[in-house]
Amino acid sequence: MNTTRRTVLGALGASAVAATTTGVAPAVPGAVGATSGRVPRELRPGGAFDEFLRVEAEQGRFSGSVLLTHHGRPVLARSHGMADRERAVPNGPDTVFALASVTKLFTAVAVARLVQRGLVAYQATVGTYLDGLAAEVADRVTVHHLLTHTSGLGDPFQMPGFWDEAPGWSSVEEVMAGYLAFIRTDRPAFPPGARHAYSNAGYHLLGEIVAAVSGQPYHDHIREHVFEAAGMADSDFHTKPRWRTDRRIAHPYVRAESGEWEDVLEERLFVGTPAGDAFASCGDLARFAHALTGGELLDAGHTAITLGGKVPPAPAGGGGDGGPARTVFQAYGPTAALERGQWVVGHGGGSRGISTSVDLFPDTGWVAVVLANHDVPLGTMPAVPAKARELIVAVGT
């Protein structure tokens, strides 16, 4: 059975940018006021982060690829472990990984582009765009609620009967329709807007809205209006048959009770959804980050709206116990964290055999991408992106 893990920053270290609850525009790399900073030895090849990554890989705690860039220039690119153990294919800089919930960033940007065109409104209800949903959803849940995980809707993966049906879905259309059918039976666990609860169902509905408004199937729309628009040539929504056979795509592995690594690819859906499992390389995610903050995907106003913090999903953390002070907001897609006076923007993703993150540091121009095909224990923070974030934040303090 496939279980999807919530990976917002406060729980598992996904980070993000933003502003205040009013959506103040964040700084972007290269913008006026953004500090150029320096590239410290700790982040260069052979430095502290490189050594930390090597030890994590040698101890079997990391398998995947990492890319650090500074103002768009590569600083450190490393790959460790195997993409496909059975065929002895190693991970490399061009390896493509399943992204889990990092996919939500693409869905959120697609929605923002439709808002920018005047085709979608953040305060409009779901029923404005979609039919066949319960009145509690159609008439009360808004696009804003879906984007900020405040709709009260839950996770179809955890719903009774989901994994009885999902293995039988063998086309893109069956996955989208089958997933939506389970959401149609869901009811908000709390009044929309009352609190924050991570929701895969909410992001699937956003993808359905993208398809309904654009008149284009969701996956095709993301390919054209996000991947192509951002220059992400290695990104796609691959089907499970393609995943099995393409040597460039990393297989997901978990540690079995025997201590051996077990390939859990067969636990995945036939194809990813608006809530998870698009595929990309480290280079493509860095390109996406720079396209998003550089005005290639959205104008300045809608970039600020997308990345500006809206809802605090967790209390401010750190400081009192000696850890770094952190104030966390949910934005429209990413989470937004203020760490030691600096904004960090991004998203993490994780499920069995997958642990991913993309972090943007707009005050200093850094981007950190970590894509792994080993998962981490539930309830723990992925060590590699956390270490990168610690060192990058230290540069600006």
Side-chain angles (χ1 to χ4, degrees), residues 279-370:
F279 291 79
S281 63
C282 282
D284 266 9
L285 279 182
R287 278 186 280 275
F288 170 78
H290 289 290
L292 179 58
T293 57
E296 297 176 41
L297 292 171
L298 298 167
D299 63 31
H302 288 88
T303 299
I305 290 171
T306 300
L307 302 182
K310 307 296 187 299
V311 175
D321 59 358
R326 175 188 299 138
T327 302
V328 184
F329 295 91
Q330 177 67 56
Y332 280 166
T335 53
L338 184 64
E339 299 195 28
R340 293 182 177 177
Q342 299 175 59
W343 286 111
V344 189
V345 185
H347 208 293
S351 60
R352 280 170 53 84
I354 297 171
S355 181
T356 60
S357 73
V358 55
D359 290 341
L360 293 72
F361 301 79
D363 297 321
T364 53
W366 286 90
V367 171
V369 181
V370 180

Side-chain angles (χ1 to χ4, degrees), residues 7 10-11 17 39 68 70 72-73 84 136 152-153 161 179 182 207 235 244 256 281 289 291 324 341 350 353 374-375:
T7 50
V17 319
V39 179
L68 305 182
H70 186 232
R73 296 183 295 274
D84 186 335
E136 301 97 306
L153 295 171
Y179 202 103
F182 277 89
S235 300
R244 293 187 189 111
S281 63
H374 290 176
D375 61 3

Side-chain angles (χ1 to χ4, degrees), residues 90-379:
N91 286 317
D94 296 327
T95 300
V96 173
F97 294 82
L99 300 180
S101 286
V102 169
T103 305
K104 291 180 173 69
L105 291 177
F106 309 143
T107 301
V109 167
V111 170
R113 285 169 66 94
L114 293 172
V115 171
Q116 184 173 297
R117 293 170 56 191
L119 300 177
V120 172
Y122 288 122
Q123 296 304 326
T125 60
V126 176
T128 306
Y129 309 107
L130 301 177
D131 298 324
L133 296 166
E136 301 97 306
V137 177
D139 299 339
R140 299 187 62 191
V141 174
T142 66
V143 173
H144 165 87
H145 293 140
L146 299 179
L147 285 165
T148 56
H149 299 284
T150 57
S151 68
L153 295 171
D155 184 357
F157 288 122
Q158 307 302 324
M159 295 180 70
F162 184 89
W163 288 108
D164 295 328
E165 294 189 21
W169 300 337
S170 58
S171 70
V172 174
E173 293 76 17
E174 286 181 358
V175 170
M176 292 295 285
Y179 202 103
L180 179 59
F182 277 89
I183 296 173
R184 291 187 193 280
T185 69
D186 199 8
R187 300 294 182 272
F190 51 82
R195 61 186 179 89
H196 178 279
Y198 196 78
S199 174
N200 283 316
Y203 269 75
H204 188 88
L205 288 181
L206 288 169
E208 296 285 351
I209 290 172
V210 166
V213 171
S214 69
Q216 189 177 24
Y218 167 81
H219 298 84
D220 292 342
H221 190 88
I222 298 298
R223 289 183 182 109
E224 178 180 350
H225 295 277
V226 178
F227 297 158
E228 291 182 17
M232 301 167 67
D234 293 329
S235 300
D236 207 341
F237 283 90
H238 296 303
T239 64
K240 190 188 292 185
R242 174 73 178 273
W243 197 350
R244 293 187 189 111
T245 59
D246 192 327
R247 294 171 66 89
R248 286 193 61 197
I249 306 175
H251 288 224
Y253 292 94
V254 300
R255 184 82 78 174
E257 291 184 5
S258 65
E260 298 297 316
W261 288 104
E262 177 186 357
D263 186 335
V264 292
L265 187 156
E266 297 305 324
E267 296 181 1
R268 314 307 296 185
L269 295 176
F270 177 82
V271 73
T273 73
D277 275 359
F279 291 79
S281 63
C282 282
D284 266 9
L285 279 182
R287 278 186 280 275
F288 170 78
H290 289 290
L292 179 58
T293 57
E296 297 176 41
L297 292 171
L298 298 167
D299 63 31
H302 288 88
T303 299
I305 290 171
T306 300
L307 302 182
K310 307 296 187 299
V311 175
D321 59 358
R326 175 188 299 138
T327 302
V328 184
F329 295 91
Q330 177 67 56
Y332 280 166
T335 53
L338 184 64
E339 299 195 28
R340 293 182 177 177
Q342 299 175 59
W343 286 111
V344 189
V345 185
H347 208 293
S351 60
R352 280 170 53 84
I354 297 171
S355 181
T356 60
S357 73
V358 55
D359 290 341
L360 293 72
F361 301 79
D363 297 321
T364 53
W366 286 90
V367 171
V369 181
V370 180
L371 303 180
N373 61 328
H374 290 176
D375 61 3
V376 299
L378 290 174

